[in-house]
Amino acid sequence: VYRTEALCRAHIKAFSRGAERYAAETNLSRRVGDWQRRLAPILEEEEQRAEFDIHSYGHRILERIETEIKDQRLAHKKYQAPHALLSSQSNVVDFQSVTNDCTQFEVCRLFMASLMLSNSGNVLLSRDGTESEEAATSNENCLRIELLKSNFELPMETYLVPSTIVDDNTGINSVEVS
């Protein structure tokens, strides 16, 4: 009798563990299903958007910065004496002026492209120096973009591997071979 009782307890314990695993898997399946239902419309919306071409967004940023700078200079000439000099900030615009009338996803794409432009030396990104760092993180208007050069080069298209660079005068490879 004792053996039968122990055997029944072992089966009940095994069944209980299996039921717990099933409940956990069911809970996980429910959470995954909920996540998929929330994510599906977002992915469908993303599929409808134009492909993200970081270079075309970079060109767009440079064009908008140049337009904004021209507008600033025209306004400065209109309201200041003709002999007044523009400040050193004359090539600086707010990031918000670049992203006016843009959707949230486009702002993200423009920010990514501005990082690429900063890396390639076209622009310098900075925050408005009048605010504390804590205030700057909560203020979306503090990011400033300074135009350093407006000619846009694709970094990978202009990159030359050192072993391929040959001096035009001597015809010798500039990299020393050991």
Side-chain angles (χ1 to χ4, degrees):
V1 176
Y2 177 71
R3 245 178 105 116
T4 307
E5 194 176 299
L7 187 61
C8 284
R9 284 186 188 178
H11 281 297
I12 290 172
K13 203 177 215 180
F15 175 78
S16 176
R17 281 194 304 263
E20 288 174 6
R21 275 197 307 260
Y22 175 76
E25 288 174 7
T26 303
N27 186 33
L28 178 62
S29 298
R30 183 182 48 77
R31 288 177 42 216
V32 168
D34 290 345
W35 177 74
Q36 287 176 332
R37 279 188 292 283
R38 284 191 318 266
L39 194 58
I42 295 169
L43 293 175
E44 287 174 19
E45 184 180 332
E46 183 63 31
E47 284 292 321
Q48 301 303 315
R49 295 179 180 147
E51 186 175 296
F52 176 48
D53 179 358
I54 196 165
H55 299 107
S56 67
Y57 275 87
H59 284 290
R60 191 165 139 193
I61 289 171
L62 292 175
E63 289 169 1
R64 286 187 178 191
I65 292 173
E66 288 176 334
T67 301
E68 184 70 22
I69 289 171
K70 286 177 187 173
D71 291 348
Q72 285 176 1
R73 289 184 178 158
L74 286 174
H76 184 76
K77 284 181 183 178
K78 185 176 181 179
Y79 296 110
Q80 298 294 325
H83 63 279
L85 295 174
L86 285 174
S87 72
S88 63
Q89 298 292 311
S90 63
N91 284 345
V92 178
V93 299
D94 293 327
F95 183 69
Q96 184 179 14
S97 67
V98 173
T99 60
N100 277 346
D101 303 323
C102 291
T103 60
Q104 187 176 4
F105 84 91
E106 282 185 311
V107 172
C108 295
R109 290 178 172 192
L110 288 166
F111 181 70
M112 178 68 84
S114 67
L115 293 175
M116 183 222 25
L117 290 172
S118 178
N119 191 44
S120 64
N122 289 90
V123 299
L124 178 64
L125 300 174
S126 62
R127 66 179 175 89
D128 187 355
T130 61
E131 299 184 31
S132 69
E133 190 160 329
E134 183 177 308
T137 57
S138 64
N139 184 355
E140 62 189 41
N141 301 329
C142 70
L143 183 60
R144 314 269 292 160
I145 303 176
E146 180 180 357
L147 181 65
L148 301 176
K149 62 180 183 177
S150 58
N151 58 331
F152 183 75
E153 296 175 1
L154 302 177
M156 294 309 293
E157 288 184 8
T158 58
Y159 177 74
L160 292 175
V161 179
S163 62
T164 63
I165 301 172
V166 177
D167 187 329
D168 291 335
N169 297 328
T170 63
I172 299 174
N173 189 311
S174 62
V175 178
E176 292 183 30
V177 180
S178 44

